[in-house]
Amino acid sequence: MKLKTTAEHLVSLLAAHGVEYLFLNPGTDTAPVQEAVYALEEAGLPAPTVLPSTFESVSLAAAHAYWNMTGRPQAVFVHVDAGTQNLGAMVHNVLRGRAGVVVIAGKTPYGEEGGPSGGRNRPIQWQQDVPDQPGIVRGYAKWVQEITRPEMLDRAIGRAVQVAASSPAGMAYLTVSRDVLMDPPRLDHSRVSGFAVPVPPAPDATAVARIAAALAAAEAPVLATSRVGRTAAGFAAVEALANLAGLPVTGRLETGTVNISSRHPSSLPNEAAAAAAISAADVILVVESDVPWLPGAVRLRADVQVFHVDPDPAKASMPLWSYPVDVAVQADGAAALTAVAAELAGIADGQPEVAQRLADRVTRLRDRAAERPRPEPPTGALTPLGVMSALNQVIDAEDIVIEEAVTNASAVYEGLERTRPCTLTGPTGPGLGWALGGSLGVKLARPDRRVIAVTGDGSFLFGVPTSALTMAAEWGTPFLAVILNNKGYRASRLPVYGLFPEGVSARRRTAVGTRFTRAPDYPALAAACHAHGERVEKAEDLVPALRRALAALDAGQAAVVECVVDQD
Ligand SMILES: Cc1ncc(C[n+]2csc(CCOP(=O)(O)OP(=O)(O)O)c2C)c(N)n1
Ligand SMILES: [Mg+2]
């Protein structure tokens, strides 16, 4: 087949660059792309699978989650400025989650004569012409480009995927007008090769030696990481260093990654334990973490040495970031941890007293972990920890959990067993409403696994559940959403009490704008969107309800289990 339009060229270039899915919210701007998909299909030419979307933020969360699982950027096609606006807070999550995604937005046509060139033929096409469409995402996108001519298309798409995937990964935002999409393609010099994704820098040998020497001599070292376990290699590297160096691993402050098995003696059980370990530390190794501790919750030792390893240790996208760092290393976290472990093993081999110190630390952590009380199975009223205990009974080690539990994130980290790499993910960012779209993306990437979102009731509603659940049915990507329903925005209530302990809100035990008094009937909402629904109020009813929901899930139907938890 001879490609007829630039849109056909665009769709085939996406496939050539490894984009498997095109999440599409169509509009008048996408007609050439829609036609291109069928034309390529009839010609037997490769094209990404098009997944129809009914809300853009859901698609972007899905693409973000797909990246989290695979490290491969996918494409989201949105309608001009309006579709870009609907990406909403998910663009911020992409930035902070360092997710590689390509967003392509239509741009209103240039031509004002209509006709077959794709020019304007509806009033809306004048109205949607805004001065700075990319400005909507400029503060969050890693790279922005308009495709103004057919001959630049191959370079624009190649570069978009390259920039999106290179570390720190991020959003590439492209715009293209309908008339450019209608133009004949320029294939004369088109190429798909030569857009190599840069290999991240290897850790500097001198810095590795300093870190290993510090860990060898330390009395109370800590590894503070947030996302190095997002890959199996990172998870393995953390475990190997923990086994050798006997150091606790904190990683619960920013959500969304299993950095170490929750059963490992180095895994700290909660935020208080993590803060205590940071306060006691003489060596802190921060690896791929943006918020390694809360300054107000710890008291760093005067003699502490802080080492910081990150593909982007300067974190220029964060205007204020002033954690004290003695040695900063630009490197991939997993590679750096592996190098540090090898260096440390070499030191221990040559120095028996170091080997003994490391072994003592390992034993101490194991003894401390063995002393931790085992939780009792809950009865009576449901609590967030009780929900985690029920989940532990019914889900498998390889099931993948998406966490967006907000004030109950600590219950997830404290109570939910996650022992295998890449079995927990989340937005790692401030925009609520990720979990449902994220579940779709995880299921696309891991169709053989069960996908379970644990979400606040507010976050569930931010996730556009009518869209996400119907998209799950449409795409064949069912997930289970477990809602921790505390009847509103607890996270927006607690700060009012915290800042005004003697205030009116604290006295009334409520804060304006934070209680849902007319919440939806969640099981009915689920049923209306082709999903199985359950509402649970008593702890003893939860396991059977979850089992029914998982049976529905295993049969291919999405499910929602509303857990009513009574919280201030
Ligand atoms: C898109 C978006 N809007 C508003 C907020 C501010 N916000 C942060 S937490 C929160 C409440 C979340 O409620 P819920 O998911 O029910 O969790 P809970 O606080 O009850 O634990 C809100 C509104 C946000 N982070 N993102
Ligand atoms: Mg809530």
Side-chain angles (χ1 to χ4, degrees):
M1 170 199 180
K2 196 168 163 307
L3 299 180
K4 294 183 295 297
T5 61
T6 294
E8 290 178 357
H9 192 198
L10 184 150
V11 175
S12 55
L13 280 169
L14 289 174
H17 283 286
V19 172
E20 295 135 281
Y21 294 104
L22 178 61
F23 302 91
L24 178 66
N25 267 97
T28 46
D29 49 348
T30 49
V33 172
Q34 292 162 277
E35 178 61 17
V37 171
Y38 279 166
L40 292 172
E41 186 184 285
E42 291 215 344
L45 292 176
T49 301
V50 174
L51 292 174
S53 166
T54 50
F55 208 89
E56 292 82 350
S57 62
V58 181
S59 310
L60 185 55
H64 178 163
Y66 194 91
W67 165 270
N68 285 0
M69 290 291 118
T70 63
R72 296 197 295 271
Q74 305 303 304
V76 180
F77 208 118
V78 297
H79 174 61
V80 295
D81 62 324
T84 304
Q85 305 263 18
N86 269 6
L87 295 169
M90 298 307 113
V91 299
H92 197 163
N93 294 343
V94 164
L95 171 71
R96 290 288 166 248
R98 298 184 178 180
V101 294
V102 176
V103 175
I104 310 173
K107 184 174 162 41
T108 203
Y110 289 104
E112 294 189 294
E113 269 67 58
S117 66
R120 303 178 184 192
N121 56 356
R122 308 291 312 153
I124 192 73
Q125 288 155 334
W126 279 266
Q127 293 169 320
Q128 67 195 191
D129 200 1
V130 293
D132 187 14
Q133 184 179 319
I136 300 165
V137 295
R138 209 183 297 281
Y140 306 91
K142 190 173 168 191
W143 176 88
V144 165
Q145 173 76 65
E146 181 179 351
I147 299 165
T148 49
R149 299 173 66 86
E151 64 266 36
M152 67 185 282
L153 186 74
D154 62 330
R155 286 166 292 141
I157 299 294
R159 183 115 178 85
V161 174
Q162 179 185 48
V163 170
S166 65
S167 188
M171 182 205 287
Y173 180 81
L174 285 161
T175 54
V176 59
S177 76
R178 183 168 77 174
D179 28 20
V180 171
L181 288 170
M182 287 301 289
D183 279 341
R186 286 286 298 274
L187 304 167
D188 28 353
H189 299 291
S190 178
R191 66 177 164 92
V192 292
S193 60
F195 294 97
V197 175
V199 178
D204 173 73
T206 313
V208 166
R210 277 188 70 180
I211 296 170
L215 291 179
E219 162 197 308
V222 175
L223 170 60
T225 180
S226 300
R227 54 174 164 252
V228 75
R230 75 194 182 285
T231 62
F235 182 91
V238 170
E239 188 170 64
L241 184 67
N243 289 345
L244 173 69
L247 80 183
V249 178
T250 79
R252 288 151 193 273
L253 215 46
E254 297 162 71
T255 56
T257 311
V258 199
N259 292 302
I260 193 161
S261 163
S262 51
R263 290 203 195 137
H264 193 285
S266 284
S267 170
L268 293 167
N270 51 40
E271 278 180 26
I278 294 284
S279 298
D282 56 348
V283 172
I284 304 176
L285 176 53
V286 178
V287 180
E288 297 198 13
S289 176
D290 292 341
V291 189
W293 61 82
L294 290 179
V298 303
R299 243 190 113 103
L300 293 183
R301 277 168 58 155
D303 64 345
V304 69
Q305 296 180 76
V306 180
F307 299 91
H308 179 208
V309 179
D310 197 287
D312 175 22
K315 302 188 203 292
S317 76
M318 297 184 141
L320 281 183
W321 194 92
S322 45
Y323 283 84
V325 172
D326 298 298
V327 177
V329 187
Q330 186 175 18
D332 172 67
L337 285 172
T338 303
V340 166
E343 185 81 16
L344 183 60
I347 300 173
D349 270 353
Q351 299 181 42
E353 71 283 7
V354 171
Q356 190 57 49
R357 189 175 309 130
L358 302 187
D360 288 348
R361 292 204 308 240
V362 169
T363 311
R364 214 177 314 136
L365 282 173
R366 194 175 306 142
D367 292 348
R368 230 181 281 161
E371 286 163 15
R372 281 184 206 136
R374 298 215 142 262
E376 294 288 319
T379 51
L382 267 180
T383 62
L385 272 176
V387 174
M388 299 312 125
S389 155
L391 281 170
N392 288 337
Q393 290 177 53
V394 297
I395 70 174
D396 294 337
E398 294 291 347
D399 291 345
I400 303 175
V401 176
I402 287 92
E403 185 273 307
E404 193 168 44
V406 194
T407 58
N408 291 310
S410 49
V412 177
Y413 284 83
E414 196 167 333
L416 189 73
E417 289 202 347
R418 289 289 82 199
T419 56
R420 306 286 304 133
C422 312
T423 57
L424 181 76
T425 193
T428 335
L432 293 180
W434 192 90
L436 307 185
S439 299
L440 296 173
V442 171
K443 186 66 184 171
L444 276 176
R446 297 276 181 274
D448 53 321
R449 307 280 191 89
R450 282 176 178 159
V451 176
I452 297 146
V454 179
T455 148
D457 51 332
S459 299
F460 180 81
L461 294 175
F462 279 124
V464 201
T466 46
S467 283
L469 291 169
T470 48
M471 283 153 77
E474 181 98 33
W475 301 0
T477 49
F479 61 86
L480 162 62
V482 176
I483 306 174
L484 298 173
N485 182 4
N486 55 12
K487 303 193 178 72
Y489 297 150
R490 186 168 172 247
S492 313
R493 188 155 60 237
L494 298 182
V496 186
Y497 304 161
L499 288 174
F500 303 94
E502 310 296 328
V504 183
S505 309
R507 175 162 47 78
R508 292 188 188 178
R509 294 320 282 172
T510 194
V512 70
T514 63
R515 301 268 182 197
F516 299 171
T517 55
R518 306 291 292 159
D521 175 339
Y522 294 102
L525 184 156
C529 300
H530 317 287
H532 174 92
E534 300 269 354
R535 176 184 164 93
V536 181
E537 296 188 45
K538 288 203 292 278
E540 50 272 33
D541 296 338
L542 184 53
V543 165
L546 285 171
R547 286 201 204 283
R548 289 190 294 274
L550 289 173
L553 192 62
D554 292 344
Q557 188 187 18
V560 173
V561 176
E562 174 197 359
C563 304
V564 180
V565 292
D566 187 21
Q567 289 185 306
D568 248 4

